Structure formats: structure tokens, C-alpha cells
Amino acid sequence: MSHVRIAGALDHNFAWTGSQLAGPELSEPDAPLPVELRGAYAGVGTTAPHRHRLVRDPMGLNKLFWAAGPDGSVVVSARPCRLVAAGCRFETIQAVPAGAAIDLDFSSRTARVAAIAGPARRPDPSANAYTVEAAAEEIRRTLDEYVAGLARAAPEAQAFVCLSGGLDSTGVAVLARGHFRTLTAVSFDIAHPDGRPSEDRVTAERLARDLALPLRCVTVRPDELLDQLDGVLAEGVDWRDFNVHAALVNAALAAGVAAARDGQGPALVLTGDLMNEFLVDYLPETYRGKVYYRLPRLAPTELQDALVKGLASTHREVGPFERCGLALVQPYAAAAHLYLNLPAPFLLEPERKQRLTRLVFGDAVPPYVFTRGKTRAQMGDADGSRGVLALCVDRGLDDAWLRRRFAALHQVEDLGVLDRFLRGGRYRSGVPLAEAHA
């Protein structure tokens, strides 16, 4: 190995140090590291032909992979499929560890690895004295500062918010409309023969009117949605059904946003992602008598930890938007440390998300958003017959099919290779150079 080579573009970075957005200087070899970093970041920097730095954010929201190239280089990319296209065998690909800043020196063939602190739970029992009310106040201040920072960094940006009509996306819409010059809401739906819109679409239309936001309706035919599968598998770096189904929704939204752009200045897409992980707001779903999206049976704080750690090994949110050349922002990431330190008993409250949303956003979120039932886009309606899950199941696109297709796209013949790449919900990770040491 003699140098670092980048295959394809890296993802947009939106990490927050607590006072400002992290810039490209974070990727410069030997540059000082922030005390803490929240949000998405992946970078590669060079100061001399033989000195490089690889950086990945602590939550692993942005992805960075590497492998030994056929020309003796270390080939780095945001997607494994690009490394395969560059001549690397899939079974040799590893992820840069989340929260690592790796300074490589090819002249001495060594690597120096530094850990970047990320959001974490306070270790002492006194953390339970941190009230929900105090957390909500700090969450709102943090979110406002972060979104204001985004707007300052891209004053001419055309901003979009993915609006499902749920609490999470409504909160982001309320935040964003106070900071961005232009803001357009985008709503997803699947077209059905009866022409009936989903509850998400109906609520999004009402919300857009109430928030005085223009609404872009993205309604896709079933076959049109499934045409996105290969792109979703490659860009999402995942074959597990829940993540693929969520990524299909995002692929449709991304195509809709790309078509709606006016071509003037950059585009930013904001979503309500991450709140489900932070507040443990996931449940298994049943379709045709079979249970999907099972979760491990853990205590709430343990499940919260597992869900948050799992974000490092799927790109279901960012990947589909980057494929369309769009920058995706997940504002709730800026306050991750606050969500992770909510009192443990709060995570057991059945109305925890409604309570916290009221405390953070007050009357800015309309009452009807609090009272509607939660319907995921993967389900479409109460019985699940009009959603992405049903569409994939009815077409025979189950876990086994998705796994085989992912393998084929990455030129993998032995499916056991996938188990070594993604094991226990984690990508295989490592540091370039055999002499690497921490």
C-alpha cells in the first residue's frame, strides 16, 4: 500500500461541534479534533503524497469503506459497490470504524488512530435527575442553533422537508420554516387503483396548508417504486427488509425533490429521522399473518442503545438522496446527547413522544398531529395492505431475495461473505496498514 485513492464522491457533511458545523479541515492530517461531534461526517484529507487522514463520525451516520486496490493503493469510498467497480473484492472491504480519525503515514507504514467523542449516556446514576422539562428546553435551543447554522452556511439553499404528517417530521418543518428563505414540503404515497390517498398524504396536505408551506406530492406506481431496488441496495449498503423498505420510500422522495428543484443554488433536504431510535418508537408489524421487523427483547435503555448503534450499519436515509445528488440533513442528530440522557422511566411512557414534542415545540405543532395514529410508510394503512412491506412481500421480494440481489450487485457468489461483512448488526471494520496501532 502506497497511497490513498478515493472512488467516487463522498457524502455531504453536516456534523455539529456544539457551536458550529465541522468543516473539511477536520480531515486534514494532524488537525485538532473537536471535543465532541454530533451528526453526519466522513472525510479524507491529504497534506503530502504519503500522509492522509480518514474520519468518520461517532454515530456512523455517514459511511466510509476501504480496501486494498489492485494498484497497491488504499481505495476509499462511501459505497462498497464503488470499491468493487474499482477492482476490489467485496470480501476484502471494511468500514472505517465509527468515531475514528485515522492518520496514515505511508513513508513509515503506520497509522495513528484517535477516537472522536460522540453523544453518550451519562454513566452516573444522577443522570436520572435530569428532568424531561429541562431536556426539552435544551433540545429546542440546540436544534434552533443547529438549523440556524445550516441556514448561515447555505444562505441561498433551496430547502425541502420530508413531511409524513407525523410528529418527527412536523417538528423539523416547524424548525426549518423559521430559518430558511424557501422551504418546500414533500409527501410520499403509493398510487393504488382506487385513487385513495394514504392517511400520511391527507395529513401532510393539511399540515402544509396550516404551516403555509408549498407541498410537492410524490405519488409513485408500484412498479415505478420497485424499479429503484438495485439503487437502494447499493446506496443503502444493506439488504435487511426494514431498511430496504425505508430506503425505497426515500428513493421516491429523492426523485421527487430532484424534479422539483429550480436549479438555483444548492438544495438541502431535512428529515425527521433518528427520533424513532432516540425514543425507542418501533414496533414489529404483521402482514398476512407473518410478523416483520422484530426487535430484540431488551430493557428500554438497552434497546435505545442497540437502535442507535445500528444506525452505523445502514445508509437507508442518506444513500438514496445522495444518489440523486441531494444533501440530506438529520437535524435531531445535533441533540443526540440530550435524547440519550432522558430519564430511563420516561422511555416507558406510552405517550413519551407526544409529551416531549409538546415540550419542545409547544403550540407550533397542530393538535391533530398529536392525536392521529402512527402509520409507517412501510405499512400504508392499518392492515398494511397499501404499503411498501405488502408490495415487496406480494412480489416475492423477501429477505432471502434481497440478500441474493445485494450479493449479485456486489459480485459475491458465496452468500456467507455477507455474514462476515455485516455481523451482529455491525459492518466489519478495520484500519488500513498492517502496522496500524491505536
Side-chain angles (χ1 to χ4, degrees):
M1 298 182 184
S2 59
H3 63 284
V4 168
R5 178 163 58 91
I6 303 174
L10 300 182
D11 295 330
H12 292 83
N13 291 321
F14 296 104
W16 186 246
T17 66
S19 59
Q20 62 183 10
L21 292 169
E25 65 278 358
L26 180 58
S27 300
E28 296 175 2
D30 298 325
L33 299 175
V35 173
E36 184 181 27
L37 195 67
R38 307 174 220 136
Y41 193 98
V44 179
T46 303
T47 55
H50 60 276
R51 300 188 67 234
H52 309 268
R53 172 178 279 185
L54 314 181
V55 181
R56 188 171 172 216
D57 67 81
M59 287 179 64
L61 296 178
N62 269 1
K63 306 301 181 269
L64 199 60
F65 299 91
W66 68 273
D71 61 353
S73 65
V74 173
V75 191
V76 178
S77 183
R79 306 288 184 273
C81 62
R82 299 175 195 166
L83 294 176
V84 172
C88 305
R89 292 181 298 113
F90 183 84
E91 53 265 39
T92 69
I93 296 173
Q94 300 185 66
V96 170
I102 306 171
D103 285 316
L104 301 173
D105 189 330
F106 286 91
S107 63
S108 60
R109 298 191 59 77
T110 58
R112 188 174 71 252
V113 183
I116 305 174
R121 183 171 287 110
R122 295 185 180 97
D124 60 278
S126 64
N128 288 331
Y130 186 57
T131 68
V132 176
E133 289 75 15
E137 184 176 347
E138 196 169 351
I139 286 170
R140 181 55 191 260
R141 178 184 58 78
T142 300
L143 293 176
D144 269 322
E145 289 176 353
Y146 178 69
V147 176
L150 291 172
R152 287 194 303 271
E156 301 303 316
Q158 185 179 9
F160 297 84
V161 58
C162 296
L163 195 63
S164 69
L167 290 169
D168 306 339
S169 64
T170 303
V172 171
V174 166
L175 278 170
R177 70 173 184 160
H179 294 283
F180 286 96
R181 178 178 54 85
T182 63
L183 180 67
T184 299
V186 189
S187 166
F188 166 83
D189 208 354
I190 298 177
H192 291 279
D194 61 8
R196 179 166 61 88
S198 67
E199 183 182 338
D200 276 3
R201 168 60 55 76
V202 172
T203 308
E205 290 176 337
R206 183 179 179 184
L207 260 174
R209 289 193 300 269
D210 290 346
L211 298 178
L213 296 176
L215 179 67
R216 173 80 174 187
C217 291
V218 178
T219 306
V220 296
R221 300 183 306 277
D223 287 341
E224 184 182 8
L225 185 64
L226 295 181
D227 284 345
Q228 302 278 354
L229 260 174
D230 280 0
V232 156
L233 289 166
E235 295 293 323
V237 200
D238 201 342
W239 59 85
R240 293 167 294 180
D241 56 3
F242 176 86
N243 295 323
V244 172
H245 298 164
L248 280 170
V249 175
N250 288 325
L253 287 166
V257 171
R261 289 187 62 184
D262 61 15
Q264 303 297 315
L268 292 179
V269 182
L270 293 87
T271 75
D273 303 324
L274 307 183
M275 279 290 284
N276 288 330
E277 285 78 11
F278 294 155
L279 295 185
V280 198
D281 189 23
Y282 280 118
L283 290 172
E285 303 285 1
T286 301
Y287 179 64
R288 294 189 183 278
K290 183 176 178 180
V291 179
Y292 296 86
Y293 312 156
R294 291 184 185 274
L295 292 171
R297 300 179 68 176
L298 298 170
T301 54
E302 293 174 335
L303 183 55
Q304 183 191 52
D305 285 342
L307 291 171
V308 170
K309 288 178 181 176
L311 294 167
S313 56
T314 184
H315 219 29
R316 65 179 186 239
E317 311 295 350
V318 174
F321 286 91
E322 289 282 348
R323 183 169 181 247
C324 290
L326 297 167
L328 182 78
V329 187
Q330 298 162 304
Y332 292 124
H337 60 305
L338 302 172
Y339 291 111
L340 292 180
N341 281 289
L342 288 165
F346 173 73
L347 296 178
L348 292 170
E349 294 183 15
E351 299 291 312
R352 58 190 175 277
K353 184 175 282 188
Q354 289 88 339
R355 178 185 171 194
L356 187 60
T357 301
R358 285 191 178 94
L359 290 170
V360 173
F361 297 109
D363 295 337
V365 174
Y368 56 85
V369 182
F370 291 97
T371 57
R372 64 170 297 216
K374 186 180 182 73
T375 303
R376 302 188 189 283
Q378 291 95 323
M379 297 300 289
D381 58 12
D383 68 4
S385 63
R386 299 167 67 89
V388 181
L389 170 62
L391 175 60
C392 289
V393 170
D394 291 347
R395 298 290 183 92
L397 307 176
D398 59 8
D399 255 343
W401 188 95
L402 295 171
R403 178 182 168 89
R404 290 194 302 270
R405 187 59 187 161
F406 182 95
L409 292 170
H410 292 83
Q411 300 178 24
V412 173
E413 296 182 0
D414 176 8
L415 293 182
V417 169
L418 300 186
D419 295 327
R420 294 187 286 276
F421 174 72
L422 182 55
R423 175 179 292 179
R426 305 286 183 271
Y427 292 137
R428 178 178 61 232
S429 63
V431 175
L433 296 178
E435 298 84 359
H437 58 278

